[in-house]
Amino acid sequence: MTNPITGKTTNPLTSPTRRSFMAMGGAVAGLSSMGLAGWAQNDVEIDVTTLTNTTYQTDVLVIGGGMAGLFAAVKAHDAGAKVMIASKGRVGSSGLTPFAKGYFAYDPDKETVSIDEFVETVSRSAYRTNNPVYTRQLAENSLARAKELQDWGFFDTTLAHRPFMVPLEARDIPIVERLMITRLIKEDGRIAGAAGFLLDAEKTVTIAAKSIVLCTGAGGFKPSGFPVCDLTHDGSIMAYEIGAKITGKEWNDGHTGRSVNPAACYDGWGDMFELTPSMNSVEVHHDLGVDVNYQAYMQGNPINMGPGTPPDAEQTMVEGGPVTPSEFQRSGPPAGGEDGSAGSPAGGPPPGGPGGGPEGGPEGGPLGGGTQRGFAMGGASAGMAIHKSEGLVPVDDRCASNVAGLYAAGDALGSHMSGGIYTQIGSSLAGSAVQGAIAGEAAAEFAAAHPLMEIPAETLTTITDEILAPLKREAGYGPAWVTQTLQGVMIPNFVLYVKKQTMMQAALAYIEELRDHHAPMLRAANMHELRLAHETRNMILSAEMKLRASLMRTESRCSHYRLDYTEIDTENWEAWINISKAENGTMQLEKQPFSAWPEQA
């Protein structure tokens, strides 16, 4: 075994004398004190040299088996394309799809507000951070997607797998489950395919494709208390590595956790998985921000946001956020002018305010934006941004990225459908359905107009070596240990939710260390640990993105709150932040003004 400090390959256990045994003990203690407790010999359980590769060809490759992936595959097939689904988990049973139980459907025959009014109300609640083109798409197409889901039996069962399989089996769309895609392949400036490995077999997989739709969801830092642990920003990081732009990393999802049984997803009203999905209509709020985190930070004790909250409890309102739920429930939003000051149409949420929705709205769970039960604070979904606000930057109204042939939908697309705050109960599930359908049709059209790209053999060899590298290391860091280190750096309330420059810079130094000196030395003994190694690397890069974007946005707005910049800065920050990989490998950040987004085609 190679000593990571000295570089020597001698092993004191070869001749276990008293002197060498004592020396080894001292070395281990020294490594532990230096933060190297996760370093160990890699006891590989499989013969890497015997791994085989399976290849596929298709027109449209859909990566992900949730709501967005379902509609992307169905609509691409119906548009005439040969389609294939690759899913890290089971179709309809992994990611956030099983958790989502509310579906928003805009029915023009029943609603009392027009689509124009709906879009404007969402924009006001989101402090103009939303992309109104994608907000409008949600309303215009949600009912049609709901009717299809109804025909497939989605609203009649608690689990989504069987209803999802109805249209997929009817169309004979091939599915490869338990396949982790780790690399997108680009040739001559456009998509050529993807590569990864099977979790339950000792095989790598290569898929040549004319176009790809990423439906990989968002991700987090594998926190307890929210079913986001199998989502680790895989799609965004793969796309970033081949030149796609990523947006929305500064926003934070505020799903709350509990002090008792923190790993339980639900509390107070039964087992959520016994509920069947249901539809709801227009109900714009200002949910899942950092309000409770701010109160906990300022008051130094758990905040009881339940029915027993004293009416005279101290409340705090800061321009741009946080705005406490109980303050809005008592008095409604404050009056304001047209200059973007607190409470104005441009700067404040609409009547109802945060927490104004039904208690625990089904989609977000009972702690997701309604009346809070027990002691809780945001952190159960740590590392995830507001639904639809982070992911690949769309360059048009059809879910296309800046990489030709690469599309994204759902939480993998940074459409800013509701902006930097969660505004409409059920819009996440509906938005995934709507965007999946649009992206699938667009990807099919692209595939029809372009041939398959040839992937050079040397490229495939290099990619395979990169995929299997953790299995080939004689020693290295365990991915679980590195993940725990990452969580300790990123999840604290005073780093991720209540932000200030000094703490974020300190956290960034740790993340850069993990990026440069731990990620390259991750080890894996089997295919499961290989998955963990790639997920850990993805989370490290996502953490760097979150910190750099949060440092760049020197204001407070929606779910992004800074103690050192507490107000909305309408002069400088009417813009989204986009991140891309520079030629020298570093992250580069840029502003994209709200007004600079292309008009709807």
Side-chain angles (χ1 to χ4, degrees), residues 262-562:
C265 298
Y266 308 103
D267 180 36
W269 57 304
D271 184 355
M272 184 62 158
F273 293 104
E274 293 302 317
L275 296 179
T276 56
S278 60
M279 283 185 275
N280 55 279
S281 57
V282 173
E283 197 176 276
V284 178
H285 303 292
H286 191 83
D287 296 334
L288 302 182
V290 297
D291 315 334
V292 181
N293 295 76
Y294 176 80
Q295 288 188 17
Y297 181 84
M298 298 302 293
Q299 296 180 14
N301 62 286
I303 305 300
N304 189 339
M305 299 304 293
T309 302
D312 58 347
E314 180 182 354
Q315 305 296 335
T316 306
M317 185 175 295
V318 182
E319 181 184 348
V323 186
T324 66
S326 52
E327 178 70 23
F328 265 77
Q329 289 167 352
R330 285 205 306 271
S331 61
E338 295 289 342
D339 59 354
S341 59
S344 73
E359 293 193 2
E363 180 187 41
L367 302 179
T371 301
Q372 310 295 326
R373 289 177 169 83
F375 296 100
M377 62 183 290
S381 54
M384 186 172 79
I386 294 292
H387 291 301
K388 308 296 180 289
S389 66
E390 69 177 330
L392 277 65
V393 175
V395 298
D396 61 13
D397 64 337
R398 304 192 70 198
C399 307
S401 74
N402 60 298
V403 176
L406 179 61
Y407 300 80
D411 283 353
L413 180 69
S415 64
H416 282 102
M417 184 187 75
S418 64
I421 199 72
Y422 195 59
T423 56
Q424 171 63 55
I425 296 296
S427 63
S428 180
L429 198 60
S432 292
V434 168
Q435 292 177 4
I438 292 171
E441 292 179 351
E445 290 180 15
F446 184 93
H450 296 83
L452 275 172
M453 298 290 292
E454 181 178 353
I455 306 174
E458 56 270 24
T459 297
L460 293 177
T461 298
T462 300
I463 290 173
T464 301
D465 288 342
E466 291 174 354
I467 291 174
L468 300 178
L471 285 170
K472 297 180 179 179
R473 292 197 176 97
E474 295 182 1
Y477 293 100
W481 182 83
V482 177
T483 293
Q484 290 174 352
T485 304
L486 169 70
Q487 291 170 332
V489 173
M490 291 300 301
I491 292 182
N493 192 33
F494 52 82
V495 173
L496 187 58
Y497 295 93
V498 182
K499 307 171 186 177
K500 57 183 176 182
Q501 181 173 335
T502 53
M503 292 306 302
M504 288 190 290
Q505 287 178 329
L508 182 58
Y510 273 91
I511 296 303
E512 289 175 337
E513 177 69 16
L514 294 180
R515 179 199 67 197
D516 295 339
H517 300 291
H518 291 73
M521 293 187 286
L522 286 166
R523 57 177 164 81
N526 49 48
M527 304 307 278
H528 172 68
E529 286 192 353
L530 184 62
R531 165 187 170 169
L532 298 181
H534 285 281
E535 289 178 335
T536 299
R537 176 183 176 276
N538 291 342
M539 288 188 289
I540 290 171
L541 289 177
S542 180
E544 181 182 356
M545 290 179 180
K546 289 195 77 68
L547 290 169
R548 293 192 185 280
S550 296
L551 282 165
M552 183 176 181
R553 185 176 287 278
T554 51
E555 65 160 0
S556 289
R557 187 186 296 249
C558 295
S559 58
H560 166 77
Y561 179 71
R562 289 191 57 163

Side-chain angles (χ1 to χ4, degrees), residues 26 92 128 145 148 186 220 335 350 424:
R128 308 296 171 185
R145 302 290 79 78
E148 289 174 307
K186 183 177 70 171
Q424 171 63 55

